[in-house]
Amino acid sequence: MKQPAFTLIEITVYLSLFILIIIALYPIIDNIVGFTFSWEKNQTLQSDFRRISAEIQRKALEAKNMGLLINPQGIFFIIQNNTTSYYVSSSAIYRNDPLGQVILTSTNTVATWTVTENDNLFLIKFFLQDKEGRTSLQATTTFGRLIP
């Protein structure tokens, strides 16, 4: 009794169809995976910005009647004789307070900022980018100083 088997022609046809299907689907799968990674990196940058911005604004509210110093090295809040500073070093944003130094940006985020003051209103322009340089975010946050 002869067992059913594929002929060489059938194997060649099926293998050719399989390869054509893979070739046709590869760009679609590659685009989906690329979009997913890009979206994930963008979410990380947005999360870093929101977290850092909210923390600086909270600290600014605490320090309104205490002390605030802004210079090119960073932002310094003085609250009850304790100084909390935020600064950029080695492309990361740091917080330094009496408890120690903490990196506020994610490990794959490169960060820079500029801080300007205009009529007791402080403007912080952030530029965040992933280390590969494919995804970037430019965002701005503001906070004010109480006028005595």
Side-chain angles (χ1 to χ4, degrees):
M1 181 176 203
K2 189 174 179 184
Q3 288 191 343
F6 290 112
T7 64
L8 185 57
I9 294 176
E10 289 175 326
I11 291 174
T12 305
V13 168
Y14 292 140
L15 192 57
S16 298
L17 285 174
F18 179 72
I19 289 172
L20 286 174
I21 290 171
I22 295 298
I23 289 172
L25 290 179
Y26 177 77
I28 296 169
I29 294 170
D30 186 49
N31 283 341
I32 291 171
V33 169
F35 175 77
T36 302
F37 284 138
S38 174
W39 182 82
E40 187 177 309
K41 289 175 184 179
N42 193 24
Q43 291 301 310
T44 301
L45 296 177
Q46 288 181 13
S47 174
D48 281 354
F49 166 72
R50 284 191 298 267
R51 187 179 63 254
I52 295 166
S53 176
E55 183 171 324
I56 289 174
Q57 288 180 350
R58 269 195 314 274
K59 199 55 84 168
L61 287 173
E62 290 177 30
K64 280 208 177 201
N65 293 322
M66 308 297 178
L68 172 64
L69 173 65
I70 294 191
N71 64 31
Q73 286 77 36
I75 305 169
F76 301 87
F77 298 105
I78 303 163
I79 302 168
Q80 298 174 350
N81 295 327
N82 291 324
T83 301
T84 300
S85 61
Y86 296 89
Y87 59 93
V88 175
S89 177
S90 301
S91 299
I93 297 177
Y94 291 86
R95 178 188 68 224
N96 194 8
D97 59 17
L99 300 176
Q101 180 176 321
V102 177
I103 298 175
L104 298 176
T105 50
S106 301
T107 56
N108 291 327
T109 301
V110 176
T112 59
W113 70 11
T114 57
V115 181
T116 56
E117 179 182 9
N118 187 11
D119 295 330
N120 291 314
L121 182 66
F122 297 94
L123 179 70
I124 305 173
K125 293 180 181 178
F126 290 91
F127 180 75
L128 304 173
Q129 185 175 20
D130 69 320
K131 285 194 175 179
E132 296 169 355
R134 294 184 181 172
T135 307
S136 63
L137 172 71
Q138 292 184 16
T140 303
T141 187
T142 59
F143 61 92
R145 182 193 314 231
L146 282 182
I147 301 171

